[in-house]
Structure formats: C-alpha cells, structure tokens
Amino acid sequence: MKYNQIKNTDLSVSNIIMGNMRLPQLSVSEIEHLIRTAMEEGINFFDHADIYGGGKSEELFAEAIQMNTSIREKMILQSKCGINSKGNYFDFSKKHILSSVDGILKRLKTDYLDILLLHRPDPLMEPEEVAEAFDELHNSGKVRYFGVSNQNPAQIELLQKYNAHKLVVNQLQFSIAHTPMIDSGIALNMNTDQSINRDSSILEYCRLNDIIIQAWSPYQNGFFKGPFLGDVDNFPELNEVIDGIAENYAVTNTAIATAWITRHPANIQVVLGTTNAQRLKDACKGSEIALTREEWYQIYKAAGNIVP
C-alpha cells in the first residue's frame, strides 16, 4: 500500500480509501470482515457521510469494529455533512454543521473526526457562518481538518476567504470513464466536445493549492450509469486494453482501473464503494502499480478520448 502526506496536516494516508455508503446492505459480521480486510491490506482511511443510510452506515461501522480508543488510533476517519436528512436540499448553516458533527461523532463512537467535508456545494452558503462553525469545531477538538466535496475553484476560494482553516481535501468524481478533470486540458483549443472546460480546471487548482483529490465512483461510467469494467457492450475496446494490461501485471482489471488513477502525480486517493472483500483486495493491488505513460495513455484513448 502506498501512503501520501496530506499537505498542511500531519496525516499520512493510504491512497486507497474504504468508502462506507453501502454498509446497510451487509450484516454486522460482514461489515467487520470488510473493515478488517481493508486494514490488513494497509488501508488506514475510512470515508463516511451523515446521509449514508440516514446515519446507519456510521452506526454499523462503529458497532462492527467495536470502536474503542485502541482501534480509533489506527484509523483516519472522515465524514461529510451539509445535506439535510431527507436528502432533498443542502444546508451549510452553522446550526446544521454543528448538530451534524455531534450526530456523526455519536454514531461513530469517537470524540473527533480527522477530516470533515462539506458535502456538495450549497448555493445559499454564507461563508462567514461556515467559518464560525469550523472555528468552534476545531477549538473544541471535534474536528482536526476540513475540506469539501464536488466544489469548483471559485467556491473553494469563497470559503477560504473567510476561513482560517486550510481546506485540504476535495472529493470529486473521477474514473477512466468519467474524466472531465483532464479532458479539456488535453484537448485545449480544439473545436471538439472534449475541449469544453466543464470543471473550471479543478485538478490544476487543487494541485496549486495543496488540496488532495479523492476520486469517488472510480469504476463507474458517468453519474451512476453502472460499472465500465466488464461492460463489453458499451466499452469493448477499453475492457480489452485493461484486461491485456492486467494480464501483463498478473492482477485483475479492478487493480488496473485503480492504478490508472493512482498513477497521476496529484497523488489522488481512490474511494472504494465495494461491499465485496475480494474486490477490495483486488483494488488494493493497484495501489503501487506504476503504469507506464504508454499504458496510461493507451487506457485513456481506449475509453474514447482524443490525444491530439
């Protein structure tokens, strides 16, 4: 397992993250096995959100692992807040942030979060109010560091203007079949659909500002259209190329899909959403595979992208 330092923190993190959105689909014993497998593979970073399972994911996680001080010290715990309990609007008010964190800590049976992320952008956000909430959470010891998810450079700048705490994470969708973060940069100044800048150059912005990117849905096609791995009807060439490279490295296609993301010099973390322990182990094998430039671009082109 490869580890990277999140800049402006003291956190050394695995470049593979165990995501916990789907835990309510499992029994407590299955969840324990999944968590233990992750830790045995070297994963030390666990991602949550108060909206996952209506809070049930966090409860089940703590119950399954029998959360205690000894176990807590081996984990880096991150959670997200900012979506109301019914999931139908965003709320970055100070009251909501503070109450959300109290609920998260209670469900996870811990005194603090290593990182708190604001879950998606709230157009009604008042950055001064968010800053007050962050100050209170940090000063009370409830949250060590802060970040965002799915936010563009201007939204981050607006938050940072009023916030004394450096934003250190941005969680964004990224996979071989979902690459807006790099497409327009490669096809710059071309009269093609790929050249349209859909993300305000968020990848370069995060690298310039020492914000680590966490890639969610790393094996999904678009916005939950389904996995591209094994989908030979829609991605025949991509699967052929990935399978060929996987054979050369003696790993699964999941490992290569993971390695394609971790190969990027931005040290992107890969957020796994699987509830299958073997698939988790397969993904972890991609943590340290250093694809060649030729292999990386070969995969990118096989997904249907232009390399001028």
Side-chain angles (χ1 to χ4, degrees):
M1 181 65 63
K2 183 179 179 181
Y3 299 89
N4 296 306
Q5 190 79 19
I6 297 183
K7 294 181 180 178
N8 299 296
T9 78
D10 63 358
L11 302 177
S12 177
V13 300
S14 53
N15 65 355
I16 309 295
I17 295 173
M18 178 178 162
N20 294 281
M21 183 172 70
R22 298 182 176 89
L23 291 191
Q25 300 174 8
L26 304 177
S27 67
V28 172
S29 61
E30 289 172 329
I31 294 170
E32 180 185 10
H33 177 60
L34 191 65
I35 298 170
R36 299 287 183 190
T37 300
M39 296 180 76
E40 288 167 4
E41 291 296 314
I43 292 175
N44 68 354
F45 199 109
F46 298 85
D47 175 68
H48 297 268
D50 61 357
I51 199 69
Y52 294 164
K56 193 67 177 176
S57 292
E58 292 168 331
E59 289 180 355
L60 288 169
F61 182 91
E63 179 184 354
I65 203 66
Q66 298 179 8
M67 185 65 77
N68 58 56
T69 302
S70 177
I71 292 173
R72 176 66 182 91
E73 290 175 351
K74 299 174 183 177
M75 295 179 165
I76 296 171
L77 291 182
Q78 170 180 282
S79 193
K80 301 180 285 292
C81 72
I83 303 177
N84 85 308
S85 59
K86 295 181 180 179
N88 57 6
Y89 66 85
F90 304 119
D91 188 348
F92 284 7
S93 66
K94 178 180 178 180
K95 179 180 179 182
H96 181 80
I97 293 171
L98 294 179
S99 64
S100 295
V101 171
D102 285 341
I104 290 167
L105 296 179
K106 181 178 180 180
R107 290 188 293 272
L108 286 174
K109 296 181 180 178
T110 183
D111 295 329
Y112 69 97
L113 286 175
D114 292 288
I115 304 176
L116 174 71
L117 304 185
L118 295 178
H119 206 168
R120 294 192 171 274
D122 176 13
L124 303 182
M125 173 189 72
E126 297 181 41
E128 301 94 332
E129 194 173 344
V130 174
E132 289 177 7
F134 283 6
D135 282 342
E136 191 165 323
L137 290 170
H138 186 267
N139 293 340
S140 64
K142 293 179 180 180
V143 178
R144 300 185 64 206
Y145 304 106
F146 300 90
V148 296
S149 72
N150 309 292
Q151 296 207 16
N152 66 33
Q155 291 165 334
I156 296 172
E157 286 286 335
L158 180 59
L159 271 170
Q160 198 67 80
K161 177 180 178 181
Y162 298 94
N163 194 346
H165 306 281
K166 179 76 171 67
L167 299 173
V168 299
V169 169
N170 192 7
Q171 197 171 101
L172 299 158
Q173 186 177 6
F174 187 54
S175 76
I176 297 167
H178 184 88
T179 53
M181 281 199 292
I182 59 177
D183 292 340
S184 61
I186 288 178
L188 182 68
N189 202 36
M190 295 181 67
N191 190 19
T192 66
D193 183 71
Q194 185 178 318
S195 68
I196 298 171
N197 189 338
R198 292 181 167 87
D199 70 340
S200 306
S201 303
I202 189 61
L203 174 61
E204 291 79 11
Y205 173 86
C206 287
R207 294 184 73 183
L208 285 167
N209 289 275
D210 295 332
I211 298 172
I212 197 167
I213 291 173
Q214 298 172 349
W216 59 270
S217 286
Y219 315 119
Q220 285 280 329
N221 166 29
F223 193 65
F224 300 114
K225 293 180 181 178
F228 59 85
L229 291 174
D231 184 358
V232 295
D233 291 331
N234 294 305
F235 298 93
E237 183 182 357
L238 178 59
N239 277 280
E240 182 180 358
V241 168
I242 290 175
D243 289 348
I245 295 173
E247 185 176 353
N248 291 339
Y249 283 93
V251 295
T252 64
N253 57 359
T254 301
I256 297 303
T258 304
W260 188 84
I261 297 174
T262 59
R263 171 63 176 84
H264 197 282
N267 293 325
I268 298 170
Q269 290 180 284
V270 180
V271 184
L272 305 181
T274 185
T275 56
N276 182 294
Q278 183 57 53
R279 197 169 297 125
L280 183 148
K281 293 171 74 172
D282 291 342
C284 288
K285 286 182 170 60
S287 167
E288 293 188 275
I289 293 177
L291 296 176
T292 66
R293 286 177 179 269
E294 182 179 5
E295 290 167 338
W296 192 90
Y297 277 103
Q298 184 183 10
I299 292 170
Y300 181 71
K301 287 190 289 185
N305 299 299
I306 297 170
V307 177

